[in-house]
Amino acid sequence: MMKQELAPANLTDIARTVLKKRYLLKNEHGDVIETPETMFWRVAETIAAVDARYGASAEQVEERAERFYHLMTQGYFEPNSPTLMNAGRPLGQLSACFVLPIDDNLTSIYETLKHQALIHQSGGGTGFSFSRLRPRNDVVRSTMGVASGPVSFMDVYNHSTEAIKQGGTRRGANMGILRCDHPDILEFITCKLDTTKITNFNISVAITDAFMRAVERDEEYDLINPRTGLGQIASRDGLKHPLTGEVLVPAGQPMRLRARMVFDLIVQCAHATGEPGLFFIDRANEYNPVPHLGEYEATNPCGEQPLLAYDVCNLGSINLGKFVTDAGTIDWESLRDVVHESTRFLDNVIDANHYPLEQITQLSQRIRRIGLGVMGWADMLVRLGIPYNSAQAIDLARQVMRFIDEESKVASEQLARERGPFPEWEYSIWGPDATCARRPDGSRIRPQRLLRNCNVTTVAPTGTISIIAGCSSGIEPLFAIAFWRYQADTRMLDINQDFVAQAKREGWYSDELMERIADTGHIHHPEVPASVQRVWVTAHDIAPEWHVRMQAAFQEYTDSAISKTINFPHEATPDQVREAYELAFRLGCKGITVYRDGSRANQVLSTGSTG
Ligand code: CDP
């Protein structure tokens, strides 16, 4: 099937440039041999073709492909980058997110290292829990030697990533997770203070509810050796504080730490470099849709997907800014249609996908996880005239995400009727089985629903696809209204076009003002009306608390997790970071990532001796 005339894609110049550089097919000489239109058609056709396996006629498949083409070329919905790059091509790997297991033996560590390479080559990102590895200096019976510990193996994975530049498209991204009760936790927390180390990893500490209770009550907790399942005894040197060198646990004593001291260290490091983030592992597991298949131990690189071992998720995001009418209202009917069509798209991606590992193929077919998210949230708010940092925005976030989550589930139910539910449905939290669908107190975790997909919703960062769709990324606030873009030695003014339109409409536009906004990095100039200044807030005008509240509002109606950065001004204190971490826990987030302006360029904290 080849479409004769493809309707032109509605793309900005920047979007065309990004596509040309990294997404469009090239021949062996490196010449681009696709247009954005033929690329989108390649994707639409490949994903729509799956319908034929479920009985659709050639004509129906063609119609479906046209609808998918329309969604992508008009910027209503975009699938994650690997789908755009690889659909209909020999590699055929369409997913962005993977988690691979690492068990406490060399075979497992190096098998998974190989699998990481294969996934990165295909454009996917990988997450790992290092929590099962025995701690540094623990015994290795086969060689009578001592173990290297999780952080040194993470460094091996980091070096391998560095060596493999994802098939010329993008460099591999990783998430490294360690439980708060692992004996090497202090080394892990501080391992990225040197910002030149482990650069291909984001790191998060897996935080249990018990740990947070211990922080609250200022109690101690035990560090557990995963090899024995028993409390760890401090070795010859004792356990020292990695920054001050103070002996926290003398040699030969059981390793018990004050939870507050560990939490303080996390906060101090996150304040200094943005890492580690937190992964609230118990909360993530409460919403694990298939607990009979295993527990979540890690997430994908940007945190929006807690996944099982050999689990995968293909993502796609709806551009919310497109659903604001000229009258300044939300077009819910169109949004519903796009949610239904997008859900179908993502369900088809599972069948069109070629995974690099058999274990991944099997699990993806058994649970059929998809990740439908949003982008253009900040655009939607400014078009509606609602400031990001307002109760009204938080209420609307709940309303919008609740609608999308519900409609996506209605679409998944429709698919289940047509094609059958996901094979593990009966024992999932959506099924009738009483043991895994209920909390210990007998209450249902989720209402019983016959779904095609074990999880449907998420919020991804949408780093590249938001550029392709020409919208603000994920649920982040606008980063800037106007800024200077340097490209090929020329300085170009990049201005938010909605802002320009409003300025012209209201009669306060001037080229000089726009340049001044780009120069100063803010819109607090006398010509800009106060009401406009209130609505057009950017990331740095917004107090961290609003960032956290926004994340929590979206989380309430999202199956999986949310990728979001909580921005802090440069002068923010460690206590403010602590407050954000505690608030995220209180409000039901599944994790949190912070970034303090300018902190990575900073002089890093000097590290003392490690214990
Ligand atoms: O916009 P795009 O589809 O390119 O990706 P994103 O929404 O920014 O990121 C979605 C997911 O893709 C991340 O959470 C990672 O799992 C993965 N990713 C990656 O592996 N490598 C990157 N350089 C960027 C994203």
Side-chain angles (χ1 to χ4, degrees), residues 506 508 525-534:
E506 296 177 358
W508 45 271
H525 302 288
E527 300 92 318
V528 184
S531 58
V532 173
Q533 294 193 24
R534 177 76 188 100

PDB file of all heavy atoms in Angstrom, residues 506 508 525-534:
ATOM      1  N   GLU A 506      -3.841  42.649  21.715  1.00  0.00           N
ATOM      2  CA  GLU A 506      -4.124  43.623  22.787  1.00  0.00           C
ATOM      3  C   GLU A 506      -3.358  44.930  22.603  1.00  0.00           C
ATOM      4  O   GLU A 506      -3.460  45.827  23.432  1.00  0.00           O
ATOM      5  CB  GLU A 506      -3.796  42.982  24.147  1.00  0.00           C
ATOM      6  CG  GLU A 506      -4.697  41.790  24.441  1.00  0.00           C
ATOM      7  CD  GLU A 506      -4.351  41.076  25.745  1.00  0.00           C
ATOM      8  OE1 GLU A 506      -3.380  41.484  26.428  1.00  0.00           O
ATOM      9  OE2 GLU A 506      -5.051  40.101  26.064  1.00  0.00           O
ATOM     10  N   TRP A 508       0.020  45.736  22.613  1.00  0.00           N
ATOM     11  CA  TRP A 508       1.256  46.114  23.328  1.00  0.00           C
ATOM     12  C   TRP A 508       2.501  45.428  22.746  1.00  0.00           C
ATOM     13  O   TRP A 508       3.543  45.370  23.371  1.00  0.00           O
ATOM     14  CB  TRP A 508       1.141  45.877  24.838  1.00  0.00           C
ATOM     15  CG  TRP A 508       0.534  44.572  25.252  1.00  0.00           C
ATOM     16  CD1 TRP A 508      -0.786  44.332  25.459  1.00  0.00           C
ATOM     17  CD2 TRP A 508       1.216  43.325  25.500  1.00  0.00           C
ATOM     18  NE1 TRP A 508      -0.983  43.013  25.814  1.00  0.00           N
ATOM     19  CE2 TRP A 508       0.233  42.377  25.855  1.00  0.00           C
ATOM     20  CE3 TRP A 508       2.551  42.925  25.446  1.00  0.00           C
ATOM     21  CZ2 TRP A 508       0.539  41.059  26.150  1.00  0.00           C
ATOM     22  CZ3 TRP A 508       2.861  41.606  25.745  1.00  0.00           C
ATOM     23  CH2 TRP A 508       1.854  40.695  26.088  1.00  0.00           C
ATOM     24  N   HIS A 525       7.993  43.484  32.557  1.00  0.00           N
ATOM     25  CA  HIS A 525       8.292  44.803  32.001  1.00  0.00           C
ATOM     26  C   HIS A 525       7.008  45.627  32.016  1.00  0.00           C
ATOM     27  O   HIS A 525       5.912  45.057  31.918  1.00  0.00           O
ATOM     28  CB  HIS A 525       8.826  44.657  30.575  1.00  0.00           C
ATOM     29  CG  HIS A 525      10.045  43.793  30.508  1.00  0.00           C
ATOM     30  ND1 HIS A 525      11.274  44.192  30.974  1.00  0.00           N
ATOM     31  CD2 HIS A 525      10.218  42.516  30.066  1.00  0.00           C
ATOM     32  CE1 HIS A 525      12.162  43.215  30.810  1.00  0.00           C
ATOM     33  NE2 HIS A 525      11.537  42.176  30.271  1.00  0.00           N
ATOM     34  N   PRO A 526       7.142  46.975  32.133  1.00  0.00           N
ATOM     35  CA  PRO A 526       5.947  47.816  32.300  1.00  0.00           C
ATOM     36  C   PRO A 526       4.907  47.677  31.173  1.00  0.00           C
ATOM     37  O   PRO A 526       3.708  47.795  31.437  1.00  0.00           O
ATOM     38  CB  PRO A 526       6.493  49.245  32.351  1.00  0.00           C
ATOM     39  CG  PRO A 526       7.973  49.160  32.169  1.00  0.00           C
ATOM     40  CD  PRO A 526       8.398  47.751  32.247  1.00  0.00           C
ATOM     41  N   GLU A 527       5.363  47.371  29.951  1.00  0.00           N
ATOM     42  CA  GLU A 527       4.389  47.284  28.844  1.00  0.00           C
ATOM     43  C   GLU A 527       3.491  46.053  28.952  1.00  0.00           C
ATOM     44  O   GLU A 527       2.428  45.990  28.350  1.00  0.00           O
ATOM     45  CB  GLU A 527       5.107  47.172  27.484  1.00  0.00           C
ATOM     46  CG  GLU A 527       6.001  48.317  27.134  1.00  0.00           C
ATOM     47  CD  GLU A 527       7.440  48.068  27.579  1.00  0.00           C
ATOM     48  OE1 GLU A 527       7.642  47.559  28.704  1.00  0.00           O
ATOM     49  OE2 GLU A 527       8.359  48.378  26.798  1.00  0.00           O
ATOM     50  N   VAL A 528       3.962  45.029  29.670  1.00  0.00           N
ATOM     51  CA  VAL A 528       3.195  43.778  29.738  1.00  0.00           C
ATOM     52  C   VAL A 528       2.143  43.902  30.840  1.00  0.00           C
ATOM     53  O   VAL A 528       2.485  44.073  32.012  1.00  0.00           O
ATOM     54  CB  VAL A 528       4.133  42.583  30.031  1.00  0.00           C
ATOM     55  CG1 VAL A 528       3.353  41.274  30.008  1.00  0.00           C
ATOM     56  CG2 VAL A 528       5.291  42.540  29.044  1.00  0.00           C
ATOM     57  N   PRO A 529       0.858  43.847  30.476  1.00  0.00           N
ATOM     58  CA  PRO A 529      -0.200  44.024  31.484  1.00  0.00           C
ATOM     59  C   PRO A 529      -0.060  43.031  32.641  1.00  0.00           C
ATOM     60  O   PRO A 529       0.383  41.890  32.432  1.00  0.00           O
ATOM     61  CB  PRO A 529      -1.493  43.747  30.705  1.00  0.00           C
ATOM     62  CG  PRO A 529      -1.143  43.938  29.266  1.00  0.00           C
ATOM     63  CD  PRO A 529       0.310  43.610  29.128  1.00  0.00           C
ATOM     64  N   ALA A 530      -0.459  43.468  33.829  1.00  0.00           N
ATOM     65  CA  ALA A 530      -0.309  42.635  35.031  1.00  0.00           C
ATOM     66  C   ALA A 530      -1.015  41.293  34.869  1.00  0.00           C
ATOM     67  O   ALA A 530      -0.492  40.246  35.288  1.00  0.00           O
ATOM     68  CB  ALA A 530      -0.857  43.391  36.245  1.00  0.00           C
ATOM     69  N   SER A 531      -2.183  41.302  34.234  1.00  0.00           N
ATOM     70  CA  SER A 531      -2.945  40.049  34.096  1.00  0.00           C
ATOM     71  C   SER A 531      -2.170  39.065  33.200  1.00  0.00           C
ATOM     72  O   SER A 531      -2.203  37.854  33.421  1.00  0.00           O
ATOM     73  CB  SER A 531      -4.324  40.335  33.495  1.00  0.00           C
ATOM     74  OG  SER A 531      -4.164  40.960  32.233  1.00  0.00           O
ATOM     75  N   VAL A 532      -1.456  39.591  32.219  1.00  0.00           N
ATOM     76  CA  VAL A 532      -0.661  38.733  31.331  1.00  0.00           C
ATOM     77  C   VAL A 532       0.526  38.167  32.108  1.00  0.00           C
ATOM     78  O   VAL A 532       0.862  36.988  31.996  1.00  0.00           O
ATOM     79  CB  VAL A 532      -0.185  39.534  30.092  1.00  0.00           C
ATOM     80  CG1 VAL A 532       0.779  38.708  29.240  1.00  0.00           C
ATOM     81  CG2 VAL A 532      -1.375  39.991  29.271  1.00  0.00           C
ATOM     82  N   GLN A 533       1.132  39.011  32.925  1.00  0.00           N
ATOM     83  CA  GLN A 533       2.266  38.542  33.738  1.00  0.00           C
ATOM     84  C   GLN A 533       1.831  37.426  34.687  1.00  0.00           C
ATOM     85  O   GLN A 533       2.587  36.511  34.978  1.00  0.00           O
ATOM     86  CB  GLN A 533       2.850  39.701  34.546  1.00  0.00           C
ATOM     87  CG  GLN A 533       3.484  40.767  33.674  1.00  0.00           C
ATOM     88  CD  GLN A 533       4.326  41.759  34.475  1.00  0.00           C
ATOM     89  OE1 GLN A 533       4.797  41.438  35.555  1.00  0.00           O
ATOM     90  NE2 GLN A 533       4.502  42.945  33.934  1.00  0.00           N
ATOM     91  N   ARG A 534       0.600  37.512  35.144  1.00  0.00           N
ATOM     92  CA  ARG A 534       0.097  36.509  36.085  1.00  0.00           C
ATOM     93  C   ARG A 534      -0.121  35.151  35.382  1.00  0.00           C
ATOM     94  O   ARG A 534       0.139  34.097  35.956  1.00  0.00           O
ATOM     95  CB  ARG A 534      -1.217  37.024  36.688  1.00  0.00           C
ATOM     96  CG  ARG A 534      -1.905  36.078  37.636  1.00  0.00           C
ATOM     97  CD  ARG A 534      -1.228  36.028  38.990  1.00  0.00           C
ATOM     98  NE  ARG A 534      -1.807  34.952  39.814  1.00  0.00           N
ATOM     99  CZ  ARG A 534      -1.252  33.756  39.984  1.00  0.00           C
ATOM    100  NH1 ARG A 534      -0.093  33.481  39.427  1.00  0.00           N
ATOM    101  NH2 ARG A 534      -1.837  32.847  40.731  1.00  0.00           N
TER     102      ARG A 534
END
